[in-house]
Amino acid sequence: MEFLSHSTAETEAAGEALARRLRPGTVLAYQGGLGMGKTAFTRGLARGLGCEDRVTSPTFTIVNEYEGRIPLFHFDMYRLPDADALFDIGWEDYLGRGGVCAVEWSERVEDALPEDTVWVRIRRSPENDDWRIISVEGVDEA
């Protein structure tokens, strides 16, 4: 599945569209550099999961939790040294809570991600630096 986003609003809409396909327990692994729109995508994801709280980047808190039809646990692994540190903050508990885990900077903790992780890659479009290509792998497109 792939989305082309021309704006923050379209990036959020892509996240909302993906949320409709997710089930409790899904882990999303984000890949994309600074400023690619991972938090904007997560705002849409939260909206699609029925979460009404304001979504912010969890850079300094490591994880933000949002209640909704399906809870959302938004992780930022940028400050973690490795996957072992993820287990220290209760990763296994989050996996068992029946929510969706959205993981920014997932490459830092790739060893800890389940086999059925859904990969969300966000990159600049070659046509225009302001556009984003959002590729999603590992989710049913039906």
Side-chain angles (χ1 to χ4, degrees), residues 16 19 44-53 66-71:
E16 188 171 1
L45 185 71
R47 193 168 47 243
L49 296 173
C51 304
E52 296 180 9
D53 291 336
Y66 304 100
E67 290 301 320
R69 174 180 52 79
I70 298 175

Side-chain angles (χ1 to χ4, degrees), residues 9 25 34 38 40 59 67 104 106 115 121 124-125 136:
L34 287 171
K38 295 180 296 288
T59 300
E67 290 301 320
E104 294 191 29
S106 62
E115 260 185 51
R121 293 176 177 90
R124 292 186 196 285
S125 169
V136 180

Side-chain angles (χ1 to χ4, degrees), residues 11-129:
T11 298
E12 289 180 16
E16 188 171 1
L18 177 61
R20 293 186 194 111
R21 300 175 184 277
L22 301 179
R23 66 186 194 299
T26 300
V27 174
L28 301 174
Y30 294 169
Q31 292 182 329
L34 287 171
M36 285 294 107
K38 295 180 296 288
T39 300
F41 187 86
T42 305
R43 277 194 301 269
L45 185 71
R47 193 168 47 243
L49 296 173
C51 304
E52 296 180 9
D53 291 336
R54 182 174 170 262
V55 172
T56 59
S57 176
T59 300
F60 296 102
T61 59
I62 310 297
V63 63
N64 289 338
E65 298 184 28
Y66 304 100
E67 290 301 320
R69 174 180 52 79
I70 298 175
L72 174 62
F73 310 121
H74 182 198
F75 292 84
D76 187 325
M77 304 307 176
Y78 187 77
R79 298 193 184 285
L80 291 186
D82 54 34
D84 289 340
L86 181 58
F87 288 99
D88 291 342
I89 64 166
W91 175 243
E92 290 170 318
D93 293 334
Y94 282 102
L95 293 177
R97 288 177 56 189
V100 168
C101 294
V103 183
E104 294 191 29
W105 300 101
S106 62
E107 56 275 14
R108 293 183 160 292
V109 295
E110 199 165 332
D111 309 3
L113 300 176
E115 260 185 51
D116 60 349
T117 293
V118 174
W119 294 91
V120 178
R121 293 176 177 90
I122 305 175
R123 66 187 190 282
R124 292 186 196 285
S125 169
E127 288 86 26
N128 185 318
D129 273 356

